[in-house]
Structures are given as structure tokens and as C-alpha cells.
Amino acid sequence: EWVPGTPAVGLLTNRDNHCVIPFADGTVLVSPGQPGSVPNNFWGVFKARVWAALGGTPQMPPGGTGDPVGLLQNPAVAVIGNDGWVFGGDDGNPSNKLYRITKTATGFTIKGWVNPWAPPFPGAVKLRYVSNSGFAYEGAMWVYAGGWQPDDNSAGQLGKTLYKINVSNRDAPIMLAVSVNNLPNGQRVEGQYSVATIDAANKRMICISYDGVLVNTYDFVSGKWASI
């Protein structure tokens, strides 16, 4: 149970389309989200059952240093070690931005890969509404489905691809398309608001359609998709 304490600055306002990064030490970082212009709608830091710090600016969490953070709406999140990796989402259009937000003893350091005119890092694709379909597995960030925007900015499509963002070199991420869901129409989980998570014990991904009707699995060993 989370019991809010007295924040350092103002109050956390209601918000949607935000980003939540749960670090291993129990710290939870909450981004401003869509209504970023609302007074006091800044970053929140939750730890030890108390909102211990709140403030910064819409572009930088409290105690943050490094690259300013653009608007984060429905991005995918994966925590690997002390790094919170934040990818894609919606900043008015499908996004291929990537941020590495690292928890330190005094706050956070931020590194961003952002380029509005070209892929900001090798293999980067534009995906929106992936806040429920990012996860960490075997030292990498994985993202499934979402709303896919082709590089030529033609009409968006329902995403059905599983991507891996290799961050073994923290300063040189690479995005790879691992597998396209080949299940038939009507059985395939695809598109925006899909849910994906890792079943590490069985080395598979489980994904669920936005309406909860369809459930698929992807087996990392065999490379096969299944409808269950």
C-alpha cells in the first residue's frame, strides 16, 4: 500500500499518459505526463512509502543532471541495473526517442538520444502507446506492438513486431526487429495499448490485447508464436 507523505513542493496533480520508473532500491520516479502545463505537475519521487521529493522542471527531475527530457507520453519503460530506459511513446506524433535515466546517490543523470529528422540511434523505429508493452529481459530492453509509424511518415499501422533494444553498451544502443507476430487475424495481439510482459521462468513473452480478449505468447527459445 502506498501512503503519500507530505511532498517537498506542492502536490502531485492528477495526470495521464505519464511515465513510471521503478528502480531496484525502491525509488519510483513519476514523470509529468500529458498535462505538463498544469501548476505543480512536475516530477514525483516516491520512496519508503513517502513522496520524499517533488519538483524539478517538466524537463528535469529533482536532482537531475544531463540532457533535458522531452514530453513523455505512453513510452515503454525497462529498468536494467540502475538505469531506467524510456523509449518511444507520443509527443504529438509517434516517437523514437530514447532516454537513459540513471539513479545516483544524489538524484538522477540523464542521457538522451533524440533527433526529429532521422533515427536517433541505429535501428530506432517510431512507436506510440507502448507504455504497457516494454520490459527488461536478459540485460536488454524489449518492446512489443504499439502504433507503428513508417519512416516515410505514411499512414500509421498496427504494430505486431517484437523489438529488442540492445544496451550492453550503455552509450551505443541498437534497436533490432526480432520477430513479427505471424498468427492469423483475429488471433493476433497487435496495435496500440497492447500489454506485454516477460515470463522469465518459461523464457517467453506473454502479450494481451488492449480489450483483454486475445492472449499470445512468444517463445524465446523456439522463436514461435502461439495463441492461448
Side-chain angles (χ1 to χ4, degrees):
E1 180 185 2
W2 286 12
V3 181
T6 302
V9 181
L11 295 172
L12 271 178
T13 57
N14 62 320
R15 61 193 65 193
D16 57 14
N17 299 330
H18 53 281
C19 169
V20 178
I21 307 174
F23 290 96
D25 69 350
T27 299
V28 179
L29 182 63
V30 183
S31 78
Q34 186 172 18
S37 62
V38 176
N40 293 329
N41 191 18
F42 298 111
W43 295 78
V45 181
F46 178 87
K47 188 173 183 180
R49 298 168 61 88
V50 174
W51 287 107
L54 174 66
T57 70
Q59 292 77 39
M60 186 65 64
T65 60
D67 298 334
V69 179
L71 184 61
L72 300 176
Q73 294 189 128
N74 298 299
V77 174
V79 177
I80 302 171
N82 290 325
D83 296 330
W85 293 91
V86 182
F87 170 76
D90 190 342
D91 56 6
N93 293 292
S95 172
N96 55 14
K97 296 183 295 188
L98 177 68
Y99 294 97
R100 186 188 71 219
I101 302 178
T102 303
K103 178 74 173 61
T104 68
T106 57
F108 305 91
T109 59
I110 300 173
K111 167 67 176 175
W113 288 264
V114 180
N115 187 333
W117 312 114
F121 61 98
V125 299
K126 298 175 182 177
L127 296 174
R128 73 195 315 172
Y129 299 112
V130 286
S131 57
N132 294 318
S133 58
F135 57 91
Y137 179 56
E138 294 189 338
M141 181 178 189
W142 300 78
V143 186
Y144 178 64
W148 172 58
Q149 180 72 56
D151 287 336
D152 62 6
N153 291 320
S154 56
Q157 301 179 28
L158 297 177
K160 55 184 179 180
T161 300
L162 175 62
Y163 296 94
K164 176 182 180 179
I165 302 179
N166 187 335
V167 295
S168 56
N169 182 340
R170 298 171 64 248
D171 296 317
I174 300 172
M175 191 168 187
L176 306 167
V178 173
S179 183
V180 178
N181 191 333
N182 57 10
L183 292 172
N185 292 337
Q187 296 184 28
R188 181 176 59 241
V189 173
E190 61 185 1
Q192 302 176 162
Y193 310 111
S194 298
V195 177
T197 190
I198 185 66
D199 174 10
N202 293 299
K203 297 184 178 181
R204 64 178 184 172
M205 175 188 71
I206 301 174
C207 52
I208 306 169
S209 60
Y210 74 94
D211 57 6
V213 173
L214 302 176
V215 180
N216 295 171
T217 62
Y218 173 77
D219 188 292
F220 284 94
V221 177
S222 68
K224 294 183 178 180
W225 293 87
S227 176
I228 60 175

